[in-house]
Amino acid sequence: MQDRIGPDRVGNIPLPGGRKIKLFGLLQPIADGVKLFFKEDITPSDVDRLLYFFAPALALFPAFMLGGTLPWGPTTGLYGYLTPVWDPEIGLLYVLAISSLGVYGVVLAGYASNNKYSLLGGLRASAQLISYELAMSVALGCIVVMVGSLKMSEMVNQQMGPLWGYGDAPVLKYIQNWNMFTPFGFVAAVIFLICMIAETNRAPFDLPEAENEIIAGYHTEYSSMKFAVFFMGEYAAMIIFGGLFAAIFAGGFNPLPFRWDVLAADFPAAAPIFNGIGAATYWLAPLIFIGKMAAMLSVYIWLRATLPRLRYDQLMTLGWKVLLPAAVGNLIAATVWIYLRALYPAWGGLFAVVLAVVVGATLIWIISKSIKLERTSLEKRKVSMGDGAGGGAATPTEPSVELV
């Protein structure tokens, strides 16, 4: 994607006769790990040694704590004894609590390094987490009120129902109710996607380690395996958040949004095919879930190769003035939709969708007006440029330059 030759061309095994066994760079991760183990490990003399060595481990810890709650397979039959490792009743609250601990490793690394660039990177990470954790929590709150449970396994099971809850509709009853296919779930999915990229400090939100501003930020003073552990934690968090997105918004372990059992019941001639696909979905569930996690990891890489890094004021503006108001408006619209569906099943859902559009348009208008006001309220000054002709003092002449 980045249009450059990478490590996919190294590690080929030569054979007699000039031929080679191409490994496409599959040995490169092993080579990188061996290299990092044997690189010189430098510890600056004036660091806070306890926090300095503790910070990388703390950055790696949350991702492994979250991985055990991912529902990577069905909760019935054989897989019911295996997945998830732990399915707490407060599933999403646990996810938000543990994911917010990841910033402690970054902040402590910046503080303990006794380096101004590292400290600035740690402070940026803490401000970034506060800004985007709020919008992420409210976006997930929308899914909680729609599902009626905090358990992620329940969220996956609910997404296997008919689309929008219309089990009698001719077409909708054949499609699974993935949250990203619902009006409010789609908005929540977009907000969650942006926030999870910011939460893992990945481009275009990698301000805590901006090379052109603060060298490498919080890990400037780290080397060898301590440096590698930070990136192990970062990539582990990316993979786990990809699994969270798949479980909460994209149907979990289901590869396609179709209800194979309903299709088999309504079309007996093709029932063996539909039943076979359903059985394959059951037994291949872990591989399908891992494939979705890999797809989300590819989105991370795609964004890094596509988008430039944001300025810090743009980062804060997006989090506080765009994502948080949009998430709150989406949550309000979702709760109104649930209430009206309960009172007026026929027209309540349609009215709530119209209300959601009105609320969304109003939010966009308010946000655009606030940003425009911020731009126009800046002080303007005129600076006249002199030509300095005749060797004397420069005389003010046109043109003038307007500075903001």
Side-chain angles (χ1 to χ4, degrees):
M1 288 183 177
Q2 299 185 11
D3 194 23
R4 66 183 184 186
I5 297 174
D8 61 321
R9 310 190 184 194
V10 301
N12 297 329
I13 301 175
L15 295 176
R19 294 189 175 185
K20 295 181 179 179
I21 298 177
K22 292 186 177 181
L23 298 177
F24 305 103
L26 293 177
L27 297 179
Q28 186 67 34
I30 300 175
D32 286 339
V34 172
K35 177 190 73 173
L36 287 166
F37 268 111
F38 287 98
K39 282 179 72 71
E40 183 180 7
D41 188 7
I42 300 172
T43 301
S45 58
D46 294 330
V47 300
D48 186 321
R49 296 183 68 85
L50 176 63
L51 297 180
Y52 179 81
F53 286 101
F54 180 63
L58 188 56
L60 185 61
F61 166 77
F64 290 101
M65 290 292 293
L66 293 177
T69 63
L70 292 179
W72 45 265
T75 55
T76 58
L78 174 64
Y79 286 128
Y81 298 100
L82 303 174
T83 175
V85 176
W86 184 44
D87 193 15
E89 293 288 342
I90 56 167
L92 281 189
L93 288 180
Y94 173 82
V95 167
L96 292 171
I98 297 300
S99 64
S100 63
L101 295 179
V103 74
Y104 281 92
V106 176
V107 172
L108 290 180
Y111 168 76
S113 294
N114 195 23
N115 180 306
K116 300 300 187 293
Y117 293 116
S118 300
L119 179 61
L120 184 57
L123 293 175
R124 282 184 171 189
S126 61
Q128 184 169 316
L129 175 90
I130 294 170
S131 302
Y132 285 86
E133 186 89 6
L134 287 172
M136 176 187 288
S137 303
V138 177
L140 292 178
C142 174
I143 304 301
V144 170
V145 298
M146 291 174 65
V147 176
S149 174
L150 287 165
K151 297 177 67 172
M152 281 192 287
S153 60
E154 289 291 332
M155 293 180 180
V156 175
N157 293 333
Q158 183 267 348
Q159 292 179 78
M160 291 189 282
L163 186 63
W164 300 347
Y166 291 106
D168 299 327
V171 178
L172 299 183
K173 66 178 181 179
Y174 301 126
I175 304 174
Q176 291 184 349
N177 189 42
W178 290 12
N179 286 323
M180 62 189 300
F181 294 158
T182 62
F184 316 111
F186 176 77
V187 176
V190 172
I191 295 172
F192 181 84
L193 178 65
I194 297 173
C195 291
M196 79 179 198
I197 295 169
E199 184 118 340
T200 50
N201 297 327
R202 298 297 296 178
F205 303 103
D206 54 343
L207 273 298
E209 51 185 274
E211 298 90 348
N212 57 335
E213 300 170 18
I214 51 177
I215 305 178
Y218 60 93
H219 57 71
T220 300
E221 300 294 347
Y222 284 86
S223 60
S224 189
M225 275 308 296
K226 297 195 299 296
F227 172 81
V229 167
F230 277 114
F231 283 91
M232 287 172 60
E234 190 170 291
Y235 274 86
M238 291 161 58
I239 294 171
I240 296 303
F241 270 101
L244 289 173
F245 184 89
I248 298 171
F249 296 101
F253 52 83
N254 295 285
L256 296 172
F258 296 112
R259 303 179 72 203
W260 305 112
D261 53 344
V262 179
L263 286 168
D266 288 0
F267 301 96
I273 298 175
F274 294 137
N275 288 329
I277 296 175
T281 298
Y282 179 87
W283 292 110
L284 297 176
L287 294 178
I288 295 168
F289 192 77
I290 292 173
K292 288 188 177 183
M293 295 167 71
M296 293 307 300
L297 190 63
S298 300
V299 171
Y300 274 105
I301 299 171
W302 186 2
L303 290 174
R304 186 174 187 84
T306 305
L307 299 177
R309 181 180 296 121
L310 296 178
R311 292 197 320 265
Y312 200 74
D313 62 311
Q314 293 173 329
L315 179 84
M316 292 291 108
T317 298
L318 178 63
W320 288 102
K321 293 187 176 181
V322 179
L323 295 181
L324 183 58
V328 172
N330 187 53
L331 177 61
I332 294 172
T335 52
V336 171
W337 174 69
I338 293 171
Y339 180 72
L340 292 179
R341 278 289 303 274
L343 290 180
Y344 312 104
W347 297 100
L350 179 62
F351 177 76
V353 170
V354 173
L355 177 64
V357 173
V358 172
V359 171
T362 305
L363 279 171
I364 293 173
W365 180 77
I366 293 173
I367 292 167
S368 62
K369 290 290 287 184
S370 65
I371 294 175
K372 187 176 180 181
L373 273 173
E374 182 181 330
R375 289 175 177 172
T376 55
S377 62
L378 294 174
E379 178 187 359
K380 292 185 178 180
R381 296 175 292 148
K382 282 191 175 182
V383 177
S384 298
M385 309 296 291
D387 57 4
T395 56
T397 58
E398 294 295 332
S400 63
V401 180
E402 204 172 62
L403 300 179
V404 177

